[in-house]
Amino acid sequence: MAPTSAGIDTSASGQDEDIVLTEEGLATLERLSDRIRAAQRQLDRLNDELRATIEELDATNDDLEARSVELQEAALRLELERHASKSERSRLTAVIESMSDGVAVLARDGSALVRNQAYADLIGADSDGRMDDENGRPLGPSETLEARASQGEEFRLVVTRPGAGGSRRWFEAVSRRVAAAGSRESTVLVIRDITDRSLRRTQDEFIATASHELRTPLAVLTGYLHLIERTADGAVGEHTRRALEHAQQLEGLIGDLLDITRLETGQMRYELEPIELGALVHEAVEAAAVLAGEQLIHFRRPGTVSLVDGDRQRILQVLRNLLDNARVHASSSGEIRVRLRRRGGWAEVAVQDDGPGIAGGDLERLFERFQRASSPTDPGLGLGLHIAREIVRGHHGTLTATSQLGRGSTFSMRLPLR
């Protein structure tokens, strides 16, 4: 009888065979069990790897979420910065457009990144931007301001442009390199109209030159007149005396022109020393009294000493100017009163007259250059009070004026005490 895999034979011979088969089955089962355990371990390893992978995926997902939040925040910051940059650019553009100086930002290819209206006006659209150097020589294509600035050249120079009716305008041009966005280099070109300043400088140079040239023949003329006066034994003719007065007057005018030039060019120098102001005022009053005629100049020297640090000749020049103005412009005033007093840490000298006074509009411009009083007897250039005020300022003091029409005027000089 053929054995079966699961059956058990009842015969003796069959019994042994059944036992063998059962052992083989057990062995097979053992091998299957080993395989199952190995597969289970492999499954456990796979489960562990899967869990690790899931954990990594969870971590990666968390990281991606965090990065997504960061990117969103960065995008928000960039958007805010973009709006801020746009707003800042608008403000900067408004500032540049409001400037009277011409401003242009030029790229290396010569294109204008920024250009305000003043720049176009100063360059002059009607002349195609043609400029000359300060000597009037036309600039070539490679020498123009924009051509040189576009190449990154830094400079500060003066150029000119012909105007209507043969006139000429003067400009100062400044070029500076700047770092633009994206590390691109660009150049800022600024143009300023300095025509008035150039004309004033030319005028000051002419005044200084003419004054120096006039002093030599005038000194000779004055010397001869003084020689005639000394050798005439007091019998000097009226014409000679008037000529001498006019020469002295002309010398004073030339001195004013030289002084205004020194002030404008910063060449006015002061030799400071201790000065007893009472003695100096007394000296100025005595000199003015000789020319005052019937006018009385009243000055009572105070008992207290007023010491100041100053240039004696310059302070005396100011005092003489104030006294001469009172004498000339207030000739109807019977008395000119001079007062010296101490006010805190200051010494104040006041020159007061009872003349016609000064109108309010004239009083505001009284210390300006070339401002003359509306008086037919005024022989000056309108520089005396301007120079006097600048001299007092150079001594760290003040010079002021008060007046009322019909009630006279008062000029007050205040200097710091030692």
Side-chain angles (χ1 to χ4, degrees), residues 7-246:
I8 299 177
D9 195 342
T10 56
S11 63
S13 59
Q15 187 176 5
D16 293 337
E17 188 175 353
D18 288 339
I19 292 170
V20 172
L21 289 174
T22 300
E23 290 177 353
E24 290 178 357
L26 290 174
T28 299
L29 290 174
E30 187 66 27
R31 287 194 297 275
L32 289 174
S33 178
D34 292 339
R35 290 177 181 176
I36 290 171
R37 284 193 296 272
Q40 185 63 41
R41 287 194 298 272
Q42 187 174 4
L43 286 174
D44 292 339
R45 286 196 301 272
L46 289 175
N47 284 332
D48 293 339
E49 292 176 0
L50 182 60
R51 280 193 297 270
T53 301
I54 292 173
E55 291 176 356
E56 290 179 0
L57 289 175
D58 290 339
T60 302
N61 187 49
D62 293 339
D63 186 57
L64 287 175
E65 288 182 357
R67 290 180 179 272
S68 177
V69 172
E70 291 177 359
L71 288 174
Q72 291 176 0
E73 293 176 351
L76 180 60
R77 285 196 301 270
L78 287 174
E79 184 67 16
L80 293 175
E81 290 175 2
R82 186 180 70 83
H83 283 294
S85 176
K86 185 177 180 180
S87 177
E88 188 65 27
R89 182 181 178 87
S90 299
R91 283 195 295 269
L92 180 60
T93 301
V95 170
I96 292 177
E97 284 297 333
S98 66
M99 293 175 62
S100 58
D101 294 342
V103 180
V105 181
L106 305 174
R108 294 300 295 269
D109 59 0
S111 61
L113 304 177
V114 178
R115 178 183 292 170
N116 66 356
Q117 184 60 42
Y119 182 87
D121 295 339
L122 292 176
I123 288 294
D126 55 339
S127 61
D128 298 327
R130 183 173 67 87
M131 288 281 185
D132 303 335
D133 64 14
E134 56 183 331
N135 296 318
R137 182 185 65 85
L139 299 177
S142 61
E143 299 175 312
T144 63
L145 301 177
E146 290 193 358
R148 294 172 63 178
S150 298
Q151 295 303 314
E153 182 180 350
E154 294 189 338
F155 55 80
R156 178 187 291 271
L157 49 87
V158 175
V159 294
T160 66
R161 178 165 63 86
S167 63
R168 183 168 288 273
R169 306 296 296 177
W170 298 76
F171 305 92
E172 181 183 54
V174 180
S175 172
R176 290 291 182 268
R177 290 194 301 270
V178 295
S183 299
R184 290 191 309 164
E185 276 196 357
S186 59
T187 305
V188 175
L189 179 60
V190 180
I191 300 178
R192 179 178 295 112
D193 191 333
I194 59 170
T195 302
D196 294 339
R197 188 175 72 187
S198 299
L199 291 176
R200 187 168 180 176
R201 182 182 62 185
T202 304
Q203 180 188 35
D204 290 339
E205 291 174 353
F206 171 77
I207 290 175
T209 303
S211 301
H212 281 291
E213 294 297 327
L214 288 172
R215 292 193 82 175
T216 301
L218 180 61
V220 175
L221 176 60
T222 304
Y224 277 121
L225 290 172
H226 279 297
L227 180 61
I228 293 173
E229 185 182 32
R230 286 194 301 270
T231 58
D233 295 328
V236 179
E238 182 65 22
H239 293 296
T240 303
R241 184 177 292 105
R242 287 186 178 181
L244 183 58
E245 290 178 357
H246 286 302

Side-chain angles (χ1 to χ4, degrees), residues 264-339:
E264 293 297 325
T265 56
Q267 296 177 359
M268 181 73 83
R269 297 291 181 265
Y270 303 105
E271 299 294 333
L272 301 182
E273 59 178 323
I275 298 173
E276 205 291 288
L277 201 55
L280 196 62
V281 173
H282 182 72
E283 179 182 342
V285 168
E286 284 192 333
V290 176
L291 301 174
E294 296 181 358
Q295 281 183 310
L296 174 64
I297 302 180
H298 178 73
F299 172 61
R300 179 178 294 176
R301 189 169 172 177
T304 57
V305 175
S306 298
L307 282 177
V308 298
D309 284 323
D311 187 312
R312 188 178 186 281
Q313 292 302 320
R314 291 299 182 182
I315 298 299
L316 190 59
Q317 177 183 347
V318 174
L319 293 171
R320 286 173 175 169
N321 180 272
L322 298 181
L323 290 168
D324 286 343
N325 280 342
R327 180 178 58 84
V328 173
H329 299 295
S331 57
S332 61
S333 176
E335 183 182 64
I336 299 173
R337 293 175 297 280
V338 182
R339 182 178 63 250

